[in-house]
Structures are given as structure tokens and as C-alpha cells.
């Protein structure tokens, strides 16, 4: 109870119970009912369920992408994130900062601890796309697809990936996630400067307690 003109402080905590039927990754929508001397009001409150992901640690100046040979994809530039938490994945978005002078050379792939591989971008815009850099977030719910073939453009913004990230949904999140970037042609080179996942993670359900007999 607050007196007129009084403010709430950190020592006043509202407690509630999340219903058993709530689905991880929500968001859980609540109604906060307030009673005042001037009447009552109901305020909607959205509470996200789950936890978000982490960023990869890369060397200063970025990780070099081995140049392609002209006869096929070169060796991958591989960087990893190790997730110690338990639980399952409900949704994954991936943000990358890849500096390269011919993005049509590049194949970008995310691999889960279970070994599932999803192509984020596969020669975006076609092999003739001489645009610079992929600075993008890959999200199944993004409004835009990757540029069609042929295009000459940088890949900047939010895009739906070449393959759906929903392939990871329901998998265990514990273990090593890796990003693999390959160059498909010689001459133009680049680096992976940063990447991160934004995962909505659902805790593993606790084991049921046996009844006392």
C-alpha cells in the first residue's frame, strides 16, 4: 500500500507465481491491477521467460578467413562459444560482423553442440556480388530475405537466413556452438570481427519428487 505522493523503493517487491501452463520463451503477459483514490486501473505487463545468449571471443583485429582457391571453398575460419548452462533452445538469432571485399564468395554456417548445421548465408547475392561486408542479424522472423541472385550489395541489416534457424529448436544448449565461414574464391580476403547468438533458452524441467508413502 502506498500513500498519496509516495514512491516505491527497492525494498518493496511484487511477488507472483508463473502458471504451470506458461511456455518458455513467452512472453508471459500479466495484468497489474492498481487501486487508487481516483479509481482502479489495469496495466498490461509483458515478462520474457528464458535467458539470452552470449558473444564469441575473437582476437583483436578479427579472425582471418582463409582465402579460397578458385576451385572450391577454402578451409573454414572457425570460432566457438561454449555454453555451460543446461536447458533447451526455443529460438536462435545470430548477429555477425564479417569484413570481406566480395561477399558473394562467402558461406556462413552455425553448428550446434548436437552437430546440426544451418547455413546463414550461402554466396549471398550470387558469386558476382562484389559488395563489402556482412554486418547482419539472421532471424527467422526478419522481414527481409537475403538479396537474390544477381545482386551487388553489402549485407547489412536483419535477414532471414538461407536455412531456417528453427532447426535448433528443442535441442540442448549445453556444449560448444561454432561459426564456420568459408571463402569460395581467391584474391579477396576478410576477417570475422565478431559474432553472437541471441538465444531464448528454456531451463530443463526438474525431476518430479516421489510421493511420500
Amino acid at each position: 500500500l502506498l500513500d498519496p505522493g509516495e514512491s516505491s523503493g527497492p525494498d518493496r517487491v511484487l511477488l507472483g507465481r508463473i502458471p504451470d501452463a506458461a511456455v518458455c520463451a513467452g512472453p508471459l503477459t500479466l495484468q497489474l491491477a492498481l487501486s487508487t483514490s481516483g479509481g482502479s486501473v489495469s496495466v498490461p505487463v509483458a515478462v520474457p521467460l528464458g535467458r539470452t545468449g552470449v558473444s564469441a571471443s575473437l582476437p583483436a583485429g578479427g579472425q582471418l578467413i582463409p582465402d579460397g582457391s578458385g576451385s572450391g571453398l577454402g578451409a573454414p575460419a572457425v570460432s566457438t562459444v561454449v555454453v555451460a548452462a543446461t536447458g533447451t533452445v526455443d529460438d536462435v538469432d545470430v548477429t555477425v560482423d564479417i569484413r570481406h571485399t566480395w561477399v558473394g564468395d562467402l558461406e556462413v554456417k552455425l553448428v550446434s553442440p548436437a552437430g546440426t548445421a544451418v547455413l546463414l548465408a550461402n554466396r549471398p547475392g550470387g558469386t558476382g556480388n562484389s559488395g563489402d561486408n556482412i554486418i547482419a542479424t539472421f532471424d527467422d522472423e526478419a522481414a527481409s530475405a537475403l538479396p537474390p541472385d544477381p545482386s551487388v550489395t553489402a549485407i547489412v541489416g536483419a535477414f532471414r537466413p538461407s536455412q531456417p534457424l528453427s532447426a535448433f529448436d528443442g535441442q540442448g544448449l549445453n556444449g560448444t556452438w561454432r561459426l564456420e565461414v568459408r571463402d569460395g574464391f581467391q584474391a579477396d580476403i576478410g576477417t570475422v570481427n565478431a559474432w553472437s547468438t541471441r538465444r531464448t533458452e528454456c531451463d530443463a524441467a526438474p525431476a518430479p519428487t516421489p510421493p511420500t508413502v
Side-chain angles (χ1 to χ4, degrees), residues 79-152:
S79 51
T80 61
V81 165
V82 178
V83 177
T86 59
T88 57
V89 177
D90 187 82
D91 185 61
V92 178
D93 300 335
V94 185
T95 298
V96 301
D97 181 347
I98 299 171
R99 306 303 173 110
H100 195 279
T101 53
W102 198 290
V103 296
D105 285 354
L106 297 180
E107 176 193 90
V108 184
K109 181 186 299 182
L110 182 68
V111 184
S112 73
T116 301
V118 168
L119 272 174
L120 303 179
N122 185 19
R123 308 286 186 90
T127 57
N129 185 0
S130 60
D132 292 351
N133 308 328
I134 302 178
I135 304 173
T137 295
F138 295 98
D139 178 356
D140 284 349
E141 288 71 49
S144 300
L146 285 163
D149 302 352
S151 298
V152 178

Side-chain angles (χ1 to χ4, degrees), residues 54-56 79-85 113 173-178 195 199:
V54 292
S55 300
S79 51
T80 61
V81 165
V82 178
V83 177
L173 60 94
N174 179 264
T176 300
W177 293 76
R178 68 180 188 269
W195 70 275
R199 302 183 307 274

Side-chain angles (χ1 to χ4, degrees), residues 3-4 10 17 31 36 46 77 79 82 91 99 113 125 128 143 150 157 163 194 207:
D3 294 326
R17 184 179 185 277
Q31 293 292 326
T36 73
S79 51
V82 178
D91 185 61
R99 306 303 173 110
Q163 295 178 335

Side-chain angles (χ1 to χ4, degrees), residues 15-37:
L15 298 178
R17 184 179 185 277
I18 297 175
D20 294 335
V23 177
C24 179
L28 178 65
T29 301
L30 307 175
Q31 293 292 326
L32 179 62
L34 302 175
S35 297
T36 73
S37 59

Side-chain angles (χ1 to χ4, degrees), residues 160-174:
R160 296 188 299 276
S162 295
Q163 295 178 335
L165 288 159
S166 59
F168 299 129
D169 292 359
Q171 293 190 9
L173 60 94
N174 179 264

